[in-house]
Amino acid sequence: METAPEIIQKGKCIMKRFILVLCLLLFSASAYSAESVDGGLSFEDVRRLANSGDIRAVNALGAMYYEGYGVKQDYAKAFELFRKASDGGNATAMSNLGRMYYLGTGVGKDLKKAAELFQKAAKNGDTEGKFMLGLLYDNGEGLKQNKERAIELYREAATSGYMRAQANLASMYYAGEGMKADKEMAFYWYAKAAEQGDAQSQYNIAVMYANGEGVQKDEALSAEWLQKAAEQGYEPAVTELGQRTK
């Protein structure tokens, strides 16, 4: 049975039976990128590299302080290190610092400053920076809302394989935000994110397979993707799977 999607505010998932979830993804507060310096390094190893002037290590050390990995969590120290690495030209640190301003962790919340940092990070090729800048344009946070620019940035990040950008771009194609609705392209990008393990996208393509939206109707594939989403504990998938198996 085909159902109409419910268009909802970004970041707020209102769950209804077998309705495509169109939440655009925010980032996880634990998603700070340490940017690989050398696999398996301890906190002391990273600190020594940072003290020697390795700018990537400075950023990585900031991420360790933020997460409390190998050291007591300290947002103020993380902010200091991210700022140092950002000033040194590290694009990943620019994004990390931008997120701290965006969330207001370790510093007062400042969306305009966050936007400035994401713009710098994106200009320097950081994929996370492109995604976050797209999110700000999409929601009109810290700068004037611009759906078309958000789409451009999401597409750049999505093409680079960034899962959250793929899911957001898919939702915009599905809902027709800033562009003409295109269910086939929505399915394409949801599938990309689903293949990377995004549970919400796995659920969404299960819905699209069941309804024949943007793809040929296929109950078997719908069940397969619904199972994958449910195995990750995604509540709408768990609920739907339970209803199907009654």
Side-chain angles (χ1 to χ4, degrees), residues 132-214:
M132 284 305 302
L133 186 59
L135 190 68
L136 295 186
Y137 273 118
D138 192 3
N139 295 333
E141 296 180 288
L143 31 74
K144 186 176 180 180
Q145 189 175 55
N146 187 330
K147 295 287 186 180
E148 289 76 17
R149 181 62 178 143
I151 290 165
E152 290 174 5
L153 289 159
Y154 284 155
R155 185 176 288 114
E156 286 183 31
T159 302
S160 296
Y162 197 75
M163 183 182 72
R164 287 171 287 173
Q166 292 170 343
N168 281 17
L169 184 60
S171 289
M172 296 189 82
Y173 269 117
Y174 191 97
E177 290 189 68
M179 67 176 95
K180 184 178 179 180
D182 187 330
K183 299 297 176 63
E184 289 185 4
M185 288 302 297
F187 179 86
Y188 174 83
W189 287 113
Y190 276 138
K192 289 287 187 183
E195 287 163 4
Q196 293 199 65
D198 180 54
Q200 187 181 84
S201 294
Q202 290 172 347
Y203 173 77
N204 284 347
I205 64 171
V207 172
M208 296 182 81
Y209 270 124
N211 292 339
E213 292 183 286

Side-chain angles (χ1 to χ4, degrees), residues 102-150:
Y102 182 85
L103 289 172
T105 51
V107 65
K109 186 169 183 174
D110 188 332
L111 294 178
K112 287 187 177 180
K113 184 65 177 176
E116 289 174 10
L117 286 159
F118 292 137
Q119 285 172 331
K120 287 177 64 177
K123 186 176 180 179
N124 282 277
D126 184 68
T127 304
E128 174 75 12
K130 291 176 183 179
F131 168 75
M132 284 305 302
L133 186 59
L135 190 68
L136 295 186
Y137 273 118
D138 192 3
N139 295 333
E141 296 180 288
L143 31 74
K144 186 176 180 180
Q145 189 175 55
N146 187 330
K147 295 287 186 180
E148 289 76 17
R149 181 62 178 143

Side-chain angles (χ1 to χ4, degrees), residues 84-97:
K84 181 178 179 180
S86 176
D87 290 344
N90 186 277
T92 306
M94 294 171 192
S95 283
N96 286 344
L97 191 61

